Amino acid sequence: MIPTGLDLVWVIVSFILTFLVFSYFLGDNAVYRFVMALFIGVSAGYFAVVLIFQVILPNLVVPLVSGDRLVLVPLVLSGLLMFKLTPRFSRMGNIPMAYLVGAGAAIAVGGAVMGTLFGQVKGAWSAFLPSSGESPFLAYLEGGFLLIGTLASLAYFHFNAKKGSATSGKRTVLVAIFAWIGKIFISITLGVVFASVLTAAATALIERTDFILQTIQLLAGK
Amino acid sequence: MKSPLALIIAVLTGLIILLGYFIPNPVLSSIRTPLLDWAVILSGVAGLVAIIHLIFGVHWEKVKKQGMQQWFSLVVVVVFLITLIAGLFLEPTNPAFQKVVTYIQTPIESSLLAILAVTLSFSSLKLLQRQRNWMGIVFFVTVIIFLILNSGLLSFTDQIPILRDVLSGLQMIPTAGARGILLGVALGSLATGIRILIGSDRPYNN
Amino acid sequence: MDKRPCPICTRLNEPQETHCWFCHAELAPVSTDQPQSSDWLSGLRQDQDATSDNNPILPAESTKSNETDKPDEFVPDWLSRIRSKEAVERAEKKAQEDKYWAEKQSHSGVPDWLQSLNEDNAEIKTNNEVEPAPPDPNKVKSASPIEEPSTTFASGDDWLESLKSWQSADETDNLIQPENLEITESPAEIEITPQPESQEFPEILPEPEFDLGKIFSPLIEEPVIESEKPAEPQGVVLPEGFQPFDLTFDETEIQETNRQPEQVDSDLSSTVDSRPQEELEIESAPVLPNENVDNHFSNEDLAISLEPIIEDSPVQPLESAQPIFSDDQIDISQSLDQSGLNFFNDLIDVTQPQPNILIEPEEIVENVPTDEVSADIPINPFKGDDLLLEPFAPDDLPEWLTDVKPIEKPVKEKPRSVTPAVDDGSPRPEKGNLPVWLAALRPVEAVEMVAIPEEKAQEGETTDGDQAANVMLEISAATFIGKPSDLSGGLRVSNRQKTNAALLSEIAANAETVEESEKNSAVGIKNTLWRSLLALVFIVVAFLGGTVLNGYGLQPALFPGEVVHTFDRINSIAADKTVLIAGDFEAGFAGEIRLTSQALIEHIMRRNLNIALMSINPVDSALLADQIERGLAFVPTYQAVGKVVDLGYFPGGAIAVQDLGNSFANTVPLTADLVATSSIDSLKNIQNMADFGAIIVITDKAETARVWIEQLQPTLNGTPLLMVTSAQASPLIQPYYQSGQVSGIVSGMAGGLVYERIMGSTGEAGRNHTSLQLLSVLMAALVLGGGFISLVKPDSTGGKRQ
């Protein structure tokens, strides 16, 4: 699809902004900072518009206009939250903040228990179950390997000392062995994560170079 | 003196929402649902407060001061106002207004991520210089192997059963490690959340 | 053999003499130490000895000059220089004094001191007619040994008695006498003892019996003829500001000196004074008639102005250079225990113009040897045409004398302490151990051993410097080492020294910062160049992969299970079901997400499924809409209108997801266009999240994926939860896929490529996968090469080792 008219202008703007950001390769400079300032302003402005139209209007204004009295609670809480802008009355915003923190903490606890803990323990168990066409021995091996790796990784974060060893503060022998194994697993996992981050960044670079190439072709074709 | 009302609100709200996870009670659900709705609304308003503080509390103050930063902050404020006014007129669902995201915000952020590829590669040159130990070497070897694996260059190994099994077994290691990490993170979130729900931690009191 | 200074008048005497040639004081034997007299001069000497030893900025040559002094006397070299120059003066004026006293005796009727003043004024008048040539500093002769140290003023008369003889009793009482001044009968027995408030200055002066203006005018107008001044004897070098003593002054000058400064000022108000006020305030010494020097050696005559600062101003007539005592001068003079002999140390010909030389302790010139001339000292004490014959030119006094405080008992040596008594407010240095190399350099004389074990003392005699230094350090740890008593008086730092030290420290600090910034800038430039080069290589490789080398990349042979399951799940969605696509990714990952998810969205479109878009990130609504637009380009048959609904943005993160999972209809009452969801066909039957055909979460982070899985998956009841993620989130989501909580994962451009391969289509992922493979190989090579170099290269950054 070949952009025309205003779209072409937007494409050229995007093209120029890409090169302006790439100027960072030469070091921090005023052009780069200008682009960052532009980015911050645009992001903040767009975010504000989205909040106004998609959060405040449909959730506060419309229900209030339609006569929903229950909306007074979030309305009052929102008003109290605005006091956070003033240093003098910022304490007034502690109540809505407490509300948000309490709700977030409960959701985190519930999700950790119901989602990760139960789910992953079930998953660790289900690894021992052979899938269709799979050898049971292979399934047990795979499950055992995953279980040992999981326990070892968990043991690495275990820092309780042996009772009575006030001076050394060392772990027990078993925990120490598992922790050492867990260190290897975690090192490999973090290495994989780092490689994935490099891949993601490289993909972004490829996408940008592809965009530059296509824009050049577009402008050349024009 | 720290407000006890905030503590009561935090604990009550948290307990009601948490109980809803384990007790499927309609009464409890009828109380829990508006609490969650109000929390979503408050999250949006909190975002608006953050934007107002960023523009008028930070950058506007910098505009008043002398220096090079004054001009950059002025750009931020001016562009914000222009975008806000345009969005108020066009609305966020307008494709014309959405071009602000697709042709300004996205290219800039994508370019920043592209820069990250170069800087990360440049930094990884000194990987072993900083961590000259066995764990560092393991990390170093893992990065190289999985960079090649993720690229797909070793896709020919799928034709070789032994290599295929070895590589698939190799990929189980990060799965096990990730599971341990996820469990650890979940346990940490659990502990932190419980501390807040029992009132031991009060990050909202300042 | 070295000359011996007189303990009273400090004039140098021949070694073989037993009495001072000037004051006839008995000279101390050579072997004995200088008696600790309580006079102010001795006190000055002690203080100066202490300060000079503690002063670290003594001229280097001063140490050399100190060696010429008696070994038992700590005389700074500047004092030695002063004394040597004084010796020259004394020799010159000795003859004039003899003449003066002789002439004085012949006068009658008129007071002798006044008669002598008149005579001197007459002489000055005639002398000032001749322009004196400025003396050539290069030709200043060094001090020569005094040939007649035993010459007295009069023919054997006591000099003090001769001083008193020409003074009448009334005049003596009315004379301004400085405090702390005691004059004994015999100059040989004069002891300068401090007598505070022993005498008071009479406030009312006797009226002059003559016209002062007439008397003084000749002195003002007549400059001292340079040629008539007694030539400096060979070998005597006058210190800065010092002038030969000229005994040609009259009684009018003495009257002026006897007056208070305020009175003098009032008297002079009628006189023409073209000189600036500050010059008026310039110290001037009382004028003494030469022939009445004995009688004039009263307290008031010994009120010496001790201000050494001499401004370089043209010589003014005498009337403008009245001997005005400043308050400081009076205080100083009053505080000094002056004997009649003290002022001879500072005898200056006040008829000569005062050279404008600023004398400060640290500016004291080198100690000129007695037989040499210091040619680099631009001193011209005889400059000017109008010379004021004042014996006490306060400008020429050395600064050490002006800095002398009121008589105080010598400061008792404080108990030895390691830290110097620096009173400038700077933090005291911590007690620390000397490095071995510094301890080895430290002179032994600077350290006084309090108690030295014999065995260790013997060890200290080794020739090995390090061993000796180590031994000294051990001894210092075992015993108390302090400086000799003379050195422990504390460190005195002058203001100029402080200023210089502050300047030096500032320069050093700036130099360091400049060096560090330069170093950092050099390293920064190097890194910038390398980074730029690397970026260029990356971009070129990406370009090549997308253009020239496109198609040469290796295609995946086997498809990952998570991608296949995703395909299968979408394939199994009922046609009337709505698929919820939730976006929770940043705009920066939009490019990668597009490459990853494009094929999946096209698959949904090809199946003609309803799509509901929602975003947990504010920008995702626009980005998802853009992706729908791009997909429409590949599936033009898909009718987006009516099938694609934008539900808008939901803030709160995990709270919003939990709210969605709790009750979708309650949470999403309106669309982004503020249209009720219950009125939309594709959404009117949706009450919970489980009512959707599939929930596809597009995210860039493992954290958001985890939130969706934790909050939503327990409520889905079999509805497939599919993840489209960035490559960086894939490793931490695999456990969820392995546990069955996630039905399928498509991660990264590689996953998008596989999905395209499964679909049998060609999209952006297929077009760019070669670039990804090349860049991945390049990054792996960089990491490998950098790792090998780091292993081979020695560790210079203090890396972590185990």
Side-chain angles (χ1 to χ4, degrees), chain C residues 13-79:
Chain C
N13 297 275
E14 291 294 344
Q16 64 274 14
E17 294 295 327
T18 58
H19 290 80
C20 178
W21 64 271
F22 185 78
C23 64
H24 306 286
E26 186 177 4
L27 299 176
V30 179
S31 59
T32 60
D33 294 335
Q34 199 167 7
Q36 292 288 332
S37 63
S38 58
D39 57 16
W40 66 273
L41 183 60
S42 302
L44 282 176
R45 287 177 183 166
Q46 290 179 2
D47 292 339
Q48 284 304 321
D49 292 345
T51 54
S52 64
D53 289 331
N54 293 334
N55 189 345
I57 310 184
L58 277 175
E61 296 76 7
S62 65
T63 57
K64 186 179 172 183
S65 65
N66 284 336
E67 295 172 358
T68 61
D69 293 333
K70 286 186 178 179
D72 57 347
E73 180 183 354
F74 281 90
V75 179
D77 65 328
W78 54 266
L79 185 58

Side-chain angles (χ1 to χ4, degrees), chain A residues 10-25 31-32 35-36 38 204-205 207-213 215, chain B residues 102-112 114-115, chain C residues 539 543:
Chain A
W10 283 111
V11 170
I12 293 172
V13 168
S14 179
F15 181 79
I16 293 171
L17 286 175
T18 301
F19 275 102
L20 292 181
V21 175
F22 278 175
S23 69
Y24 183 78
F25 287 131
V31 172
Y32 174 79
V35 175
M36 290 300 105
L38 179 74
L205 179 64
E207 189 271 334
R208 283 290 95 195
T209 54
D210 185 59
F211 168 76
I212 292 171
L213 190 64
T215 305
Chain B
T102 54
Y103 289 101
I104 295 179
Q105 195 169 343
T106 300
I108 293 174
E109 274 197 56
S110 297
S111 303
L112 287 173
I115 292 174
Chain C
I539 292 173
F543 270 126

Side-chain angles (χ1 to χ4, degrees), chain C residues 258-374:
Chain C
N258 295 337
R259 300 161 72 182
Q260 296 286 355
E262 306 80 42
Q263 295 171 344
V264 174
D265 286 335
S266 59
D267 289 333
L268 290 176
S269 60
S270 60
T271 61
V272 177
D273 190 350
S274 61
R275 206 169 61 167
Q277 183 61 30
E278 43 273 18
E279 293 188 4
L280 292 175
E281 296 176 359
I282 290 177
E283 53 290 332
S284 59
V287 180
L288 290 181
N290 291 339
E291 58 270 26
N292 296 328
V293 68
D294 288 341
N295 294 333
H296 280 231
F297 281 9
S298 58
N299 293 342
E300 73 279 8
D301 296 332
L302 298 175
I304 302 170
S305 171
L306 304 177
E307 181 57 55
I309 298 175
I310 305 167
E311 293 183 359
D312 189 7
S313 59
V315 177
Q316 300 295 329
L318 182 61
E319 63 180 2
S320 63
Q322 299 304 322
I324 299 171
F325 290 96
S326 66
D327 293 338
D328 293 337
Q329 295 165 3
I330 290 179
D331 293 338
I332 292 172
S333 62
Q334 292 175 357
S335 65
L336 291 175
D337 183 12
Q338 300 175 358
S339 68
L341 303 175
N342 180 55
F343 78 96
F344 284 109
N345 295 331
D346 307 307
L347 281 180
I348 298 168
D349 188 353
V350 298
T351 60
Q352 298 171 355
Q354 309 307 315
N356 302 320
I357 300 167
L358 181 66
I359 300 176
E360 292 184 359
E362 49 273 21
E363 285 185 348
I364 292 174
V365 299
E366 303 178 16
N367 182 28
V368 180
T370 55
D371 55 348
E372 292 181 3
V373 175
S374 173

Side-chain angles (χ1 to χ4, degrees), chain C residues 3 12 61-62 64-66 68-69 77 80-85 88 140-145 233-238 365-377:
Chain C
K3 291 182 174 41
L12 295 177
E61 296 76 7
S62 65
K64 186 179 172 183
S65 65
N66 284 336
T68 61
D69 293 333
D77 65 328
S80 303
R81 292 194 299 273
I82 293 170
R83 289 179 182 173
S84 60
K85 292 177 183 178
V88 174
V140 174
K141 305 294 181 180
S142 58
S144 62
Q234 290 287 333
V236 176
V237 177
L238 293 179
V365 299
E366 303 178 16
N367 182 28
V368 180
T370 55
D371 55 348
E372 292 181 3
V373 175
S374 173
D376 56 348
I377 304 172

Side-chain angles (χ1 to χ4, degrees), chain A residues 24-112:
Chain A
Y24 183 78
F25 287 131
L26 303 175
D28 193 9
N29 52 75
V31 172
Y32 174 79
R33 292 191 181 185
F34 167 75
V35 175
M36 290 300 105
L38 179 74
F39 168 69
I40 293 169
V42 166
S43 302
Y46 184 84
F47 191 22
V49 170
V50 168
L51 283 172
I52 291 171
F53 280 92
Q54 297 184 2
V55 176
I56 295 175
L57 276 180
N59 294 302
L60 287 177
V61 176
V62 170
L64 192 66
V65 170
S66 62
D68 186 1
R69 295 183 182 179
L70 210 58
V71 79
L72 289 174
V73 176
L75 200 62
V76 170
L77 289 175
S78 301
L80 290 175
L81 196 57
M82 285 291 183
F83 282 104
K84 278 290 185 183
L85 291 170
T86 59
R88 190 175 176 184
F89 300 107
S90 65
R91 286 182 174 270
M92 306 278 286
N94 287 353
I95 293 173
M97 288 304 297
Y99 179 88
L100 281 173
V101 168
I107 286 169
V109 170

Side-chain angles (χ1 to χ4, degrees), chain B residues 21 32-33 37 40 93 105-106 109-110 121-122 124-125 130 132 140 144 151 153 155 158-159 179 182, chain C residues 554-555 557-558 588 623 658-659 662 666 673 711 738 773 776-777 782-784 786 790 793 800-801:
Chain B
Y21 277 95
R32 187 172 182 264
T33 302
D37 293 339
V40 170
T93 56
Q105 195 169 343
T106 300
E109 274 197 56
S110 297
S121 302
F122 188 71
S124 62
L125 288 173
R130 295 186 179 92
R132 281 194 186 186
F140 163 78
I144 294 171
S151 65
L153 283 175
S155 58
D158 296 338
Q159 308 294 334
R179 177 166 286 164
L182 289 172
Chain C
L554 295 177
Q555 299 289 334
L558 289 181
L623 294 173
Q658 175 59 220
D659 200 15
N662 191 38
N666 185 65
D673 298 322
Q711 304 298 331
Q738 193 273 332
Q773 288 178 351
S776 297
V777 171
L782 282 173
V783 173
L784 191 65
S790 299
K793 193 177 175 184
K800 185 177 174 182
R801 290 181 177 272

